[in-house]
Structures are given as structure tokens and as C-alpha cells.
């Protein structure tokens, strides 16, 4: 018998009843009831209950070997209770044993594998570009690494592999991609970790804008479709082709060049309603050729005057003269 395990914690089924097996893993949770100790043993693949009276299979241990005893844990490895970030990062190896984070790490690996497979199927060749390089500004500050062999000189960590992928195109490699690490000395953003992040980076030669869209859309759509229901929430993915919105229309309708189309709030030109209306400020703006735009916000007619006063104060705190509103 293998020194550590004959099966993983996800392998055992009713067909294994009567077999002698050996499992290895971490204690996920323990419970004591009627002088019987229940141990949930966990490994990368799943959780198996040791000495149980329910479920499809039961394991009655003939021997138990504790490979590494532990004191009371600073945070439990079961459940989804939130803990301060300092505790989680100090004990990251425990934090990553928690089921949600474990699944997220595996999901990231699977997404990268899917991207790589789909890009290769589209005729792209994967390259790894240098990390220690000269500065190639991309709009943020570089991270600098001092050189031991050249005192007083510094390498820059790439903000993006822009120069290298363009060299590859000039050299005749035609279609390049990599899951590229990018380093930028800037604060965190809503869609980006501070300091470093990874992006699907690619370049093509002798192509039009439509060629680029046609190459990348099935890759991204396939990945979203493959992992849409990774957590069982039943998400769906819009069919191909991706919707294309001209920049001007996007800015006028959504107020952003990367709108979230799930947001039902749209910006509308309402100048015609105020022309000749006698509504002082807006009517004069329309007469002067300016545009009056508004957002139709459902159910705000039920809001109190206090709500609109607070919204007006917020607009002023953002540097605007104020916020006009109309209800019915």
C-alpha cells in the first residue's frame, strides 16, 4: 500500500465498500457527538468524512498518523466567515485552504489554460518576453531594479510587453500572444491589483481592425461560456458577435467608453422638452444651442426631498454647480 494514500478525498464511492484505503490531507473540521469523533479530511480534490453514520460511504480508521500537529488556528479553514486582511495575508497558506479561495485559484488556472488553448487554435504562437528591460512608459511609473553588475544602473520592470511584441511582428512572427505579467507602480483600481497584474496580450501583422475583432471575439466568448456557471449561479452569455457601440454613442448614452450594459440607466437628450418651456436655466441653455441631458431613474418619484438634496450636495462635492431633477 502507498505510504500516504491510495485514493484522494474525492475518489471513494459505494463501489469501494469493503476495501482498505489510505487517505492523506488536512483536518478541515472536527465534531464530537455521543463519544464519537467526526473528522472532515480535506485535500485538493474534496472532503471525506471519517467515521460517519450518513452519506454514501463510511471510513472506519484502523490507524491514524498525525503528520504535523497544529495549535489553535488563527482562522478556521471551513466556512466563509470574513477575517481582517492582515490576519488572512499573514496566514495565507491557511486562507487558501478555504473552499472559496481554493476554487478561485483553480478557476484562474483553468481560465489561463482555456485562453492558451483557444489562442493557439486561432493560429497564435506563445512567446515569453523579457522582464528585466529598459523603460517603456505606458502611463504609470516604472518599478526599477538596481543592477549588481552595473552599479548606478537600473532595469525597469515592463508595464506591458509593447516594444517586444512589436519587435516580434517586425521580425515576421505574424501572430503573438502571452499571458503577460505587467508591473505598474500605481494604486489599485476596481479591475486591477496594485503593483502587478496579468493580461492576455497579443499582436497581429498585416490585419485590419475587423481581423483583430474576428480573432479575439471567439476566444473571449468561449472562455466566458465555458466558465459562466463555475459557481452554479446559472449565468448566461450573450451570443456572438459582440455588440459594437461607436465611441460617441457610448459617451452620449452611457457616459463611459466601457459601459456595463447590465445597467438600465441611460442618458437621454431632453432638450426638446425644455425648449420654450419657461423653465429658466434649461430653456435658455437650449435656446443658446446647448444640450440638456437626463437620466430616467425608476422609482425615484417615491423618494423624499431629503434624498434629492443629498444628491444635489453630492454633485456639488464633485465640482458641479448642482443637480436638477423632475418627478411625476
Amino acid at each position: 500500500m502507498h505510504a500516504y494514500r491510495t485514493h484522494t478525498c474525492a475518489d471513494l464511492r459505494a463501489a469501494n465498500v469493503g476495501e482498505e484505503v489510505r487517505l492523506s490531507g488536512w483536518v478541515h473540521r472536527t465534531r464530537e457527538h455521543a463519544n464519537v469523533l467526526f473528522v472532515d479530511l480535506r485535500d485538493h480534490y474534496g472532503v471525506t468524512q471519517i467515521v460517519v453514520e450518513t452519506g454514501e460511504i463510511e471510513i472506519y480508521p484502523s490507524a491514524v498518523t498525525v503528520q504535523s500537529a497544529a495549535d489553535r488556528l488563527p482562522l478556521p479553514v471551513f466556512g466563509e466567515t470574513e477575517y481582517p486582511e492582515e490576519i488572512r495575508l499573514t496566514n495565507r497558506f491557511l486562507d487558501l485552504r478555504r473552499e472559496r479561495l481554493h476554487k478561485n485559484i483553480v478557476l484562474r488556472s483553468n481560465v489561463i489554460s482555456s485562453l492558451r488553448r483557444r489562442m493557439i487554435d486561432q493560429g497564435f504562437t506563445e512567446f515569453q518576453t523579457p522582464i528585466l528591460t529598459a523603460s517603456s512608459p505606458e502611463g504609470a511609473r516604472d518599478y526599477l531594479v538596481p543592477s549588481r553588475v552595473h552599479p548606478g544602473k537600473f532595469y525597469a520592470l515592463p508595464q506591458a510587453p509593447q516594444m517586444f511584441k512589436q519587435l516580434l511582428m517586425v521580425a515576421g512572427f505574424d501572430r503573438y500572444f502571452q499571458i503577460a505579467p505587467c508591473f505598474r507602480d500605481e494604486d489599485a483600481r476596481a479591475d486591477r491589483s496594485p503593483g502587478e497584474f496579468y493580461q492576455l496580450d497579443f499582436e497581429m501583422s498585416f490585419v485590419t481592425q475587423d481581423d483583430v475583432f474576428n480573432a479575439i471575439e471567439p476566444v473571449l466568448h468561449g472562455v466566458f461560456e465555458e466558465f459562466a456557471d463555475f459557481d452554479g449561479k446559472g449565468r448566461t452569455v450573450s451570443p456572438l458577435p459582440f455588440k459594437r457601440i461607436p465611441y460617441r454613442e457610448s459617451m452620449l448614452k452611457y457616459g463611459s467608453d466601457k459601459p456595463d450594459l447590465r445597467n438600465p440607466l441611460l442618458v437621454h437628450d431632453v432638450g426638446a422638452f425644455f425648449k420654450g418651456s419657461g423653465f429658466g436655466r434649461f430653456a435658455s441653455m437650449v435656446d443658446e444651442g446647448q444640450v440638456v441631458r437626463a437620466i430616467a431613474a425608476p422609482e425615484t418619484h417615491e423618494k423624499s426631498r431629503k434624498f434629492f438634496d443629498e444628491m444635489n450636495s453630492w454633485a456639488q462635492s464633485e465640482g458641479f454647480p448642482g443637480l436638477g431633477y423632475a418627478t411625476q
Side-chain angles (χ1 to χ4, degrees):
M1 183 177 288
H2 191 275
Y4 293 106
R5 64 185 178 191
T6 59
H7 299 76
T8 72
C9 288
D11 284 341
L12 298 177
R13 297 292 185 271
N16 300 108
V17 170
E19 295 182 12
E20 183 177 352
V21 302
R22 181 170 291 171
L23 302 179
S24 290
W26 292 267
V27 175
H28 183 64
R29 179 169 50 181
T30 62
R31 301 175 305 283
E32 189 170 354
H33 179 68
N35 297 320
V36 177
L37 181 64
F38 298 85
V39 178
D40 290 348
L41 188 71
R42 177 179 175 181
D43 63 10
H44 170 74
Y45 304 96
V47 178
T48 298
Q49 297 184 88
I50 310 298
V51 188
V52 298
E53 296 180 354
T54 61
E56 188 176 10
I57 58 97
E58 299 174 344
I59 294 180
Y60 293 91
S62 58
V64 174
T65 302
V66 178
Q67 300 289 346
S68 179
D71 294 330
R72 183 178 180 86
L73 299 181
L75 73 162
V77 294
F78 64 89
E80 297 300 329
T81 303
E82 289 298 326
Y83 279 80
E85 186 176 81
E86 181 179 352
I87 294 178
R88 293 178 56 196
L89 294 180
T90 301
N91 303 276
R92 192 59 167 168
F93 67 100
L94 293 177
D95 194 33
L96 291 177
R97 288 188 195 172
R98 302 168 78 187
E99 187 173 3
R100 178 171 60 86
L101 289 177
H102 189 95
K103 287 183 176 179
N104 285 347
I105 295 295
V106 173
L107 173 65
R108 182 182 188 276
S109 176
N110 291 338
V111 167
I112 289 175
S113 295
S114 180
L115 285 171
R116 178 173 286 115
R117 182 181 68 254
R118 295 173 190 278
M119 291 298 287
I120 292 172
D121 289 344
Q122 287 284 342
F124 288 83
T125 303
E126 183 175 12
F127 293 88
Q128 281 74 44
T129 53
I131 296 298
L132 295 178
T133 179
S135 178
S136 175
E138 292 280 344
R141 290 183 295 269
D142 289 324
Y143 277 112
L144 301 178
V145 180
S147 170
R148 178 184 61 82
V149 296
H150 303 289
K153 304 291 186 179
F154 293 83
Y155 294 104
L157 300 182
Q159 296 188 32
Q162 186 68 32
M163 298 302 296
F164 296 109
K165 66 182 181 181
Q166 290 175 342
L167 285 172
L168 288 168
M169 294 303 99
V170 173
F173 288 97
D174 201 70
R175 288 190 172 199
Y176 137 94
F177 88 96
Q178 72 171 315
I179 311 300
C182 301
F183 305 91
R184 299 182 181 181
D185 186 6
E186 62 184 2
D187 296 334
R189 301 183 186 182
D191 60 352
R192 185 179 301 169
S193 299
E196 65 176 285
F197 60 91
Y198 286 77
Q199 66 184 28
L200 172 60
D201 198 83
F202 69 99
E203 190 77 35
M204 305 168 66
S205 293
F206 308 113
V207 291
T208 66
Q209 177 174 274
D210 282 342
D211 292 327
V212 176
F213 289 162
N214 292 335
I216 201 62
E217 281 186 10
V219 173
L220 298 180
H221 183 271
V223 170
F224 280 112
E225 196 170 50
E226 181 178 352
F227 298 102
D229 197 32
F230 78 97
D231 56 1
K233 293 187 177 180
R235 298 181 182 88
T236 59
V237 180
S238 302
L240 288 173
F242 288 174
K243 185 176 182 179
R244 300 186 187 183
I245 306 173
Y247 175 81
R248 181 174 177 81
E249 177 188 340
S250 182
M251 295 302 295
L252 291 176
K253 185 179 292 185
Y254 304 100
S256 170
D257 62 352
K258 51 178 181 180
D260 184 342
L261 300 184
R262 298 170 298 179
N263 187 343
L265 301 181
L266 302 179
V267 181
H268 300 274
D269 185 342
V270 295
F273 292 99
F274 290 100
K275 186 175 181 62
S277 66
F279 192 88
R281 178 59 177 159
F282 289 165
S284 62
M285 289 174 61
V286 174
D287 292 339
E288 294 169 2
Q290 299 184 52
V291 178
V292 178
R293 297 190 179 95
I295 295 176
E299 301 179 8
T300 50
H301 64 282
E302 301 175 354
K303 299 295 184 180
S304 65
R305 174 64 182 268
K306 180 175 180 292
F307 169 81
F308 294 105
D309 288 343
E310 290 174 347
M311 293 297 294
N312 187 64
S313 298
W314 170 80
Q316 292 174 338
S317 70
E318 294 293 314
F320 296 96
L323 178 73
Y325 65 92
T327 61
Q328 65 176 22

